[in-house]
Amino acid sequence: MEATSARERLQKMLADLDRSIGVLRGDPRSVNDRSPADAGSDLSDADRAQAMLTVATAQRRAVLDALKRLDEGTYGRCVDCAKPVPEGRLEARPEAARCVQCQGKRERRR
Ligand SMILES: [Zn+2]
C-alpha cells in the first residue's frame, strides 16, 4: 500500500476513534440511542461502555503507532521480526504492527 493512502486511512480511523471515544466517555446524545434488546444483558451499560472504550483506546494507540512508523519510514515492516507485513494484511488492518506469525505468537502468550 502506498504510504500516502495508508496515512489517509489511518488518519480517518483516528478521527472515527476520537469520535467514538468521545461518545463512550459520556456524550449524552448516545444514551437514548439504544435498542430495547440490550436491556437484558448481563453487563450493565456502564460496563459495556467501559469495555468498548478500552478497545477503542487500544486501537487508537495502535493507529498512532502506525502513523509514527510512517513518519519514521518503518511502516509496513513487522515490529518484531522486521519482515514486510503482507499487503493484504495492511489493506485489512492498516494499523497492524506485526506479521501474522508474530501477532499469533503474541496472542498465544496472553
Ligand atoms: Zn513478524
Side-chain angles (χ1 to χ4, degrees):
M1 177 155 55
E2 289 288 325
T4 327
S5 69
R7 188 182 297 273
E8 273 170 17
R9 286 186 60 186
L10 287 163
Q11 274 165 349
K12 185 175 182 308
M13 287 172 77
L14 189 60
D16 287 347
L17 284 165
D18 279 343
R19 200 158 41 234
S20 307
I21 289 168
V23 169
L24 289 167
R25 284 202 177 130
D27 184 332
R29 276 171 307 178
S30 68
V31 174
N32 297 322
D33 187 23
R34 212 175 273 134
S35 77
D38 290 344
S41 160
D42 288 341
L43 279 177
S44 76
D45 291 337
D47 285 345
R48 192 161 42 222
Q50 188 56 52
M52 285 166 67
L53 190 56
T54 304
V55 171
T57 306
Q59 185 164 26
R60 185 177 186 277
R61 199 174 315 129
V63 170
L64 285 175
D65 284 350
L67 283 166
K68 190 157 153 265
R69 290 196 301 280
L70 268 172
D71 287 338
E72 290 168 348
T74 58
Y75 181 78
R77 288 192 174 268
C78 174
V79 297
D80 284 352
C81 69
K83 285 187 196 133
V85 178
E87 190 81 355
R89 178 163 168 76
L90 288 176
E91 283 290 340
R93 297 196 48 193
E95 82 283 19
R98 290 176 183 80
C99 66
V100 180
Q101 286 85 348
C102 292
Q103 188 65 44
K105 271 186 228 157
R106 197 178 157 82
E107 276 164 15
R108 274 198 298 278
R109 270 207 300 271
R110 268 202 292 248

